[in-house]
Amino acid sequence: MDFSERVKDLAGRSKHATKHALTEEATKTSVVLPLIQTLGFDVFNLNEVVPEFVADVGLKKGEKVDFALKIDGKLAALVEVKPITMSLGSAQFSQLYRYFATTEARLAILTNGREIWFFSDVDEPNKMDKKPFFTFDLQVADDAKIADLARFQKHNFSIETILATASNLKYANAAGAYLKKQLTNPDEDFVKMVARNIYDGMLTKTVVEQLRPAIQASLDEVIRDRIQAKLNVTFRAEPVATEEQIAKPNDTEPEIVTTEDELQAFLIVRAIAARWIDLERITLRDSKTYCSVFADNNNRKPICKLYFNAKTARHVGLFDAEKVEERVQIGSLSDIYKYAARIEDAVKTYL
């Protein structure tokens, strides 16, 4: 199996462990050791994988981190494991934090057998950052994330590259979080920054509050315009002409036009499906009688169909695990959310 297939095999192990691994040791055996092996380390070789790694820290003696990973005899990474029943957001990883400062390792990994958090010392040398620079969810992994995880394989391992990536990801994630916040509820500093470029008078508190709704509406419009432009270029596939149509063109044939309602419905489906797969994998293809939403622009990977061309009613085609379609009628676009679970189930078959 190639790396992607091995990671997908780990996803199955992780899902099984979610129901059956009740302890940290069970998590180690069922998921974490296979994970370390997938990254190219020999789990049976103490020159590569050292379990219960001891590194005394000041007055703290005999404390152990679950695994130390070595490459050519040098310490490359520390791995601390929590039970799969524990959320990493609530996990205490003080040992990992202390060990990082006293060993030569520049990479620290915290995992519960589902989530994998990667830490380094981007903020301050030899001091582990409080936040991970990269996170990976074994049970919700797309190709792009798997490609990022591949950087940590033993044969690819380059601490310089990892640290450069860590720095880039850290600031990119921070910038993304800030912009998302502004899109939802722009703060006063952001509103003032925009207002200085569009308003000539004094920016009093009253003026700022008056401009806030207009600035937020403009942000929404910019996002919609960018999505619409991308949809026009990427997601509208021209119908393939048959040999008969080429031989006998019909100039009276109506042009296929993707309506605003179809685009809005596609965006709703995309928002539902994006919980499981990357946005770029969710594609739209229009035809005379319906719009199809596929994974990977592949008609063998249907997510749903939008039947919006009838004058009296609109329907959505939903697919089960055998790709058998069922049409359901909707009264408004928001009704699509009622079928979110079924859309997600269709998407999960393409993970």
Side-chain angles (χ1 to χ4, degrees), residues 135-256:
T135 62
F136 188 90
D137 189 329
L138 278 170
Q139 296 183 22
V140 189
D142 57 39
D143 290 340
K145 279 277 193 176
I146 291 174
D148 286 332
L149 183 66
R151 299 172 188 265
F152 301 95
Q153 292 180 92
K154 178 188 169 188
H155 73 272
N156 283 344
F157 196 91
S158 166
I159 192 60
E160 292 78 13
T161 302
I162 289 172
L163 292 178
T165 301
S167 180
N168 290 337
L169 285 173
K170 175 193 172 185
Y171 294 116
N173 290 339
Y178 172 76
L179 291 174
K180 284 179 183 178
K181 178 184 176 184
Q182 303 314 315
L183 286 170
T184 305
N185 183 25
D187 58 36
E188 186 171 347
D189 288 340
F190 184 84
V191 173
K192 285 182 176 180
M193 179 184 71
V194 177
R196 290 189 189 99
N197 291 276
I198 63 174
Y199 185 78
D200 293 330
M202 182 177 294
L203 292 176
T204 63
K205 188 173 183 64
T206 301
V207 170
V208 169
E209 291 307 311
Q210 288 175 343
L211 290 175
R212 183 188 298 275
I215 291 173
Q216 186 165 5
S218 297
L219 288 173
D220 291 339
E221 186 175 351
V222 168
I223 296 299
R224 281 199 304 271
D225 287 347
R226 288 184 66 84
I227 292 174
Q228 179 94 30
K230 191 167 186 179
L231 288 174
N232 290 340
V233 172
T234 307
F235 297 112
R236 281 192 201 169
E238 292 294 330
V240 178
T242 64
E243 292 183 6
E244 182 180 355
Q245 288 172 326
I246 293 172
K248 297 178 181 180
N250 184 357
D251 293 336
T252 62
E253 195 76 23
E255 181 184 357
I256 294 174

Side-chain angles (χ1 to χ4, degrees), residues 272-345:
I272 294 169
R275 184 178 171 215
W276 297 98
I277 62 176
D278 187 73
L279 286 175
E280 300 301 324
R281 295 183 61 193
I282 309 165
T283 56
L284 179 72
R285 190 183 303 174
D286 204 350
S287 64
K288 295 177 185 177
T289 55
Y290 56 81
C291 284
S292 297
V293 182
F294 298 126
D296 305 320
N297 202 26
N298 186 336
N299 57 14
R300 295 180 182 177
K301 297 181 179 181
I303 296 175
C304 70
K305 288 183 179 179
L306 308 172
Y307 297 91
F308 285 12
N309 291 345
K311 295 181 179 179
T312 55
R314 290 180 292 192
H315 294 79
V316 175
L318 302 169
F319 293 89
D320 62 16
E322 304 300 322
K323 296 185 173 61
V324 176
E325 182 183 0
E326 178 192 358
R327 295 191 193 184
V328 296
Q329 185 172 339
I330 61 170
S332 65
L333 295 182
S334 62
D335 286 346
I336 296 173
Y337 286 107
K338 296 178 181 178
Y339 303 98
R342 295 184 62 180
I343 292 171
E344 289 182 1
D345 286 343

Side-chain angles (χ1 to χ4, degrees), residues 257-276:
V257 177
T258 304
T259 66
E260 181 66 24
D261 277 355
E262 288 170 333
L263 289 173
Q264 292 299 321
F266 169 65
L267 293 178
I268 291 172
V269 173
R270 204 179 183 210
I272 294 169
R275 184 178 171 215
W276 297 98

Side-chain angles (χ1 to χ4, degrees), residues 39 54 99 120 133 158 205 308:
L39 293 175
V54 177
Y99 278 20
S120 191
F133 67 85
S158 166
K205 188 173 183 64
F308 285 12

